[in-house]
């Protein structure tokens, strides 16, 4: 018997009136179904109508924890490095608020990520746990203040608000709601209760002594006195702050570090995560980026809780550290092949900061004849440039990448030769800088050890060549005004005075070209160094 459409509608209506329905099965799209067996890079995953087996669940958890471990490793380079600097300073007797100074410049004895042998470093870890600190900065300095994640706080010296004239900087800890001065200070706010002061000074007539004297006589670190200098009587009349006399300024302690062997580099094995945990415990939870804090918490690094991974998690994190370390190295050694990092297309010279600027989000503003031209924000963190930078370099500042002639510094990283092969310490290489090198203050090459990313240790205490005549002779120019620098285990016959940097057979190396107070030709690329070429 056939049922008409009308009879079917009537029957359905009667069923509905009595609270009854007819079950209907909708087709499940294939792209949301999970097959009983799925082949992946972690093996075969098995399901029973979508329910994972015990073994599949184990594989999934291990894989997710491994991925989170890699992310935590690569995204926390900055914090681990900052903490390692603090530990390194303590190892030579420099406690917090003590200035580490290199009166004879930094040399290859110190393990310090890609430091230079051209300027007088004066560095300190500031302890803000008891309140704001004043840092009196002498003139003729260049540097920055960062928090313990290398988060930029404020620039110092030529690129900063004192513009090289020196002045009083007031560094305020997170959560501080006490009175601040009306004026007289350059105020910087830290997101962590410790901060890193990293400043360089320049030699005068190739002599570091005048700058060292200026630093030791003028650099002071001491507690801020609310209601003291910088607070007017009129301000005190509203009752929110009481006038106070400034107490005598305590002496600032200096520790001389030239020639000292100490380590400021974080580890690359499982103990890396233990170091990051120490930083997390040191600082307030609110001082961290919530996303990064979540990544660390996912692997067991949690503020206020002991970091005690079981055998399974320890093995996973050991592998994650190995892969994260490989990624950090790959992003540097092959950085010239990364889109947008090369100085010009096809060059082995590169700088990852051009991709996202100092804050790893938007490239730095363009500098035109009409002034600065900001680029539109991308809204996306450039994770690879951040990981690459913090794996090999310390501190962060707009002054390190701003496109402003005669201000700050610029860097070109060279990890491979013209054929994109890693450098061999037993071979001879050369590079030529065309005439009119665009560096108003000075230029230099420094050679670094592949393993430590610190200055290469050879019989040359200072593995550098450059325009300054200290600590090694200035590089002599060619008759046409260009300068050719050689990298070799023994001095090539063609090398002029000051143009040979020694390498070691069996040791890999890389180099940085520094231009201090870079000139317009660098930014327009009207001036370009040659590639580093293999001679023999």
């Amino acid at each position: 018997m056939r049922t008409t459409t009308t009879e079917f509608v009537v029957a359905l209506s009667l069923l509905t009136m009595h609270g009854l329905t007819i079950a209907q099965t909708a087709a499940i799209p294939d792209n949301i179904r999970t097959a009983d067996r799925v082949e992946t890079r972690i093996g075969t995953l098995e399901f029973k109508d979508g329910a994972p087996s015990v073994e599949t669940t184990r594989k999934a958890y291990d894989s997710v924890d491994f991925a989170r471990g890699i992310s935590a490793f690569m995204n926390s380079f900055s914090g681990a490095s900052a903490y390692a600097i603090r530990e390194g300073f303590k190892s030579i007797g420099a406690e917090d608020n003590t200035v580490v100074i290199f009166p004879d410049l930094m040399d290859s004895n110190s393990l310090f990520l890609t430091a230079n042998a051209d300027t007088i470093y004066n560095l300190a870890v500031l302890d803000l746990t008891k309140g704001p600190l004043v840092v009196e900065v002498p003139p003729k300095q260049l540097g920055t203040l960062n928090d313990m994640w290398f988060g930029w706080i404020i620039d110092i010296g030529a690129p900063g608000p004192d513009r090289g004239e020196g002045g009083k900087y007031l560094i305020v800890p997170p959560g501080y709601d006490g009175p601040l001065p009306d004026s007289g200070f350059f105020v910087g706010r830290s997101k962590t209760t410790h901060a890193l002061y990293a400043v360089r000074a320049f030699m005068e007539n190739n002599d570091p002594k005048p700058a060292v004297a200026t630093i030791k006589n003028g650099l002071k670190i001491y507690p801020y006195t609310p209601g003291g200098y910088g607070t007017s009587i009129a301000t005190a009349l509203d009752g929110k702050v009481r006038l106070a006399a400034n107490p005598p300024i305590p002496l600032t302690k200096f520790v001389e570090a030239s020639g000292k062997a100490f380590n400021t580099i974080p580890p690359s094995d499982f103990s890396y995560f233990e170091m990051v945990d120490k930083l997390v415990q040191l600082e307030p939870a609110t001082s961290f980026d919530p996303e990064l804090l979540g990544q660390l918490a996912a692997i067991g690094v949690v503020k206020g809780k002991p970091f005690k991974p079981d055998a399974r998690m320890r093995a996973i994190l050991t592998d994650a550290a190995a892969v994260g370390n490989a990624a950090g190295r790959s992003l540097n050694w092959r950085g010239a092949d990364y889109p947008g990092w090369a100085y010009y297309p096809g060059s082995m010279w590169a700088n990852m900061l051009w991709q996202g600027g100092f804050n790893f989000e938007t490239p730095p503003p363009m500098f035109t004849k009409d002034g600065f031209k900001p680029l539109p924000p991308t809204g996306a963190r450039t994770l690879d440039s951040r990981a690459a930078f913090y794996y090999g370099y310390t501190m962060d500042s707009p002054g390190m990448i701003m496109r402003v002639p005669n201000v700050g510094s610029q860097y070109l990283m060279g990890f491979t030769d013209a054929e994109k092969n890693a450098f061999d310490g037993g071979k001879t290489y050369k590079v030529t800088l065309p005439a009119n090198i665009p560096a108003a203050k000075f230029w230099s090459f420094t050679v670094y050890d592949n393993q430590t990313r610190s200055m290469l240790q050879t019989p040359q205490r200072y593995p550098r060549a450059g325009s300054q005549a200290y600590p090694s002779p200035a590089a002599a120019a060619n008759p046409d005004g260009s300068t050719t620098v050689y990298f070799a285990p023994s001095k090539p016959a063609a090398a002029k005075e000051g143009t040979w940097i020694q390498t070691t057979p069996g040791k890999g190396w890389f180099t940085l070209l520094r231009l201090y107070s870079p000139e317009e030709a660098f930014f327009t690329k009207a001036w370009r160094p040659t590639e580093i070429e293999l001679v023999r």
Side-chain angles (χ1 to χ4, degrees):
M1 181 180 67
R2 299 181 61 184
T3 303
T4 65
T5 301
T6 302
E7 292 171 331
F8 178 80
V9 171
V10 171
L12 181 62
S13 299
L14 292 171
L15 288 171
T16 303
M17 290 175 59
H18 291 281
L20 301 175
T21 59
I22 297 177
Q24 298 183 51
T25 302
I28 300 176
D30 288 341
N31 62 357
I32 69 171
R33 293 175 63 92
T34 299
D36 289 346
R37 290 174 61 87
V38 180
E39 299 298 332
T40 74
R41 65 187 303 157
I42 64 171
T44 302
L45 304 181
E46 298 180 339
F47 304 85
K48 185 176 182 179
D49 193 27
S53 68
V54 172
E55 179 61 16
T56 292
T57 298
R58 183 194 65 78
K59 289 179 180 179
Y61 283 170
D62 286 354
S63 183
V64 169
D65 285 338
F66 179 60
R68 286 172 171 169
I70 295 174
S71 294
F73 186 94
M74 295 182 65
N75 292 333
S76 61
F77 280 151
S78 58
S81 189
Y83 191 88
I85 289 173
R86 184 171 184 251
E87 291 293 287
F89 287 177
K90 285 185 175 182
S91 74
I92 57 172
E95 297 296 326
D96 294 345
N97 302 334
T98 297
V99 178
V100 176
I101 188 170
F102 293 81
D104 294 320
L105 308 186
M106 194 181 296
D107 57 41
S108 59
N109 284 297
S110 304
L111 294 182
F112 206 108
L113 291 176
T114 52
N116 71 60
D118 305 290
T119 62
I120 299 92
Y121 281 102
N122 48 118
L123 314 162
V125 177
L126 307 182
D127 182 359
L128 305 171
T129 57
K130 296 180 181 178
L133 286 178
V134 177
V135 182
E136 289 193 18
V137 177
K140 301 180 181 179
Q141 306 295 300
L142 173 68
T144 192
L145 268 159
N146 280 189
D147 65 26
M148 291 298 287
W149 290 94
F150 286 162
W152 178 66
I153 297 174
I154 192 170
D155 276 338
I156 291 171
D162 72 88
R163 304 298 294 275
E165 298 297 324
K168 292 182 173 68
Y169 285 76
L170 179 62
I171 313 305
V172 181
Y176 177 78
D177 59 359
L180 293 174
D182 300 332
S183 61
F185 295 86
F186 306 115
V187 179
R189 295 181 179 274
S190 175
K191 293 182 180 179
T192 55
T193 56
H194 296 79
L196 295 167
Y197 174 89
V199 173
R200 293 146 289 170
F202 301 100
M203 294 185 285
E204 296 182 17
N205 298 318
N206 296 297
D207 184 0
K209 293 184 181 64
V212 171
T214 297
I215 294 166
K216 288 189 172 181
N217 292 331
L219 178 57
K220 298 178 176 62
I221 300 173
Y222 55 89
Y224 169 65
T225 300
Y229 173 83
T231 300
S232 67
I233 294 177
T235 296
L237 294 178
D238 65 10
K240 295 181 180 179
V241 59
R242 299 178 64 178
L243 294 175
N246 284 86
I249 296 175
L251 291 177
T252 298
K253 181 182 177 182
F254 290 84
V255 171
E256 296 189 353
S258 293
K260 289 187 176 180
F262 64 103
N263 178 37
T264 67
I265 303 173
S268 297
D269 58 11
F270 171 80
S271 62
Y272 174 94
F273 295 107
E274 294 175 317
M275 178 170 282
V276 171
D277 177 68
K278 291 178 181 178
L279 175 61
V280 170
Q281 305 310 325
L282 178 71
E283 297 294 343
T286 52
S287 66
F288 300 114
D289 174 82
E291 189 70 21
L292 176 57
L293 193 65
Q295 292 177 16
L296 293 172
I299 62 168
V301 176
V302 180
K303 175 72 174 180
K305 295 183 179 180
F307 176 54
K308 293 183 178 180
D310 58 19
R312 166 190 164 275
M313 195 64 180
R314 187 182 183 95
I316 289 173
L317 293 181
T318 298
D319 284 350
V323 175
N325 178 60
R329 289 180 174 275
S330 298
L331 287 168
N332 276 282
W333 269 260
R334 299 300 166 188
D337 296 329
Y338 198 103
W341 291 10
Y343 182 47
Y344 52 87
S347 175
M348 44 72 64
W349 294 111
N351 189 319
M352 67 287 293
L353 294 180
W354 289 319
Q355 183 188 15
F358 82 99
N359 64 347
F360 309 102
E361 190 268 332
T362 299
M366 302 299 292
F367 185 75
T368 70
K369 59 183 178 64
D370 298 319
F372 291 108
K373 181 183 178 182
L375 299 176
T378 65
R381 192 73 65 203
T382 56
L383 297 178
D384 286 345
S385 69
R386 184 177 68 179
F389 181 77
Y390 288 137
Y391 184 82
Y393 316 90
T394 60
M395 309 301 291
D396 201 0
S397 161
M400 299 173 69
I401 197 61
M402 62 176 64
R403 296 183 174 105
V404 184
N406 297 304
V407 175
S409 51
Q410 287 287 334
Y411 306 83
L412 292 179
M413 293 80 167
F415 284 88
T416 61
D417 64 16
E419 302 300 320
K420 301 297 178 71
N421 295 315
F423 296 116
D424 183 336
K427 296 180 179 180
T428 298
Y429 302 84
K430 70 175 182 178
V431 61
T432 297
L433 305 182
N436 302 314
I437 300 171
K441 195 171 288 293
F442 73 85
W443 65 267
S444 75
F445 284 104
T446 308
V447 167
Y448 301 97
D449 185 318
N450 280 357
Q451 291 286 359
T452 65
R453 292 96 74 200
S454 301
M455 291 186 207
L456 185 67
Q457 295 182 343
T458 70
Q460 288 181 336
R461 180 182 174 188
Y462 302 96
R464 50 84 66 185
S467 57
Q468 299 186 128
Y470 185 91
S472 57
N478 300 318
D480 64 356
S482 66
T483 304
T484 302
V485 173
Y486 291 84
F487 310 87
S490 57
K491 185 177 181 181
K496 298 179 180 295
E497 183 179 40
T499 63
W500 167 53
I501 306 178
Q502 189 171 18
T503 59
T504 301
K507 284 296 298 178
W509 59 272
F510 65 95
T511 188
L512 261 68
L513 171 60
R514 288 177 167 85
L515 303 171
Y516 273 72
S517 295
E519 297 175 325
E520 186 174 354
F522 174 82
F523 301 104
T524 63
K525 300 181 177 62
W527 178 91
R528 297 180 180 183
T530 69
E531 306 294 280
I532 298 180
E533 302 171 352
L534 175 63
V535 177
R536 57 180 174 84

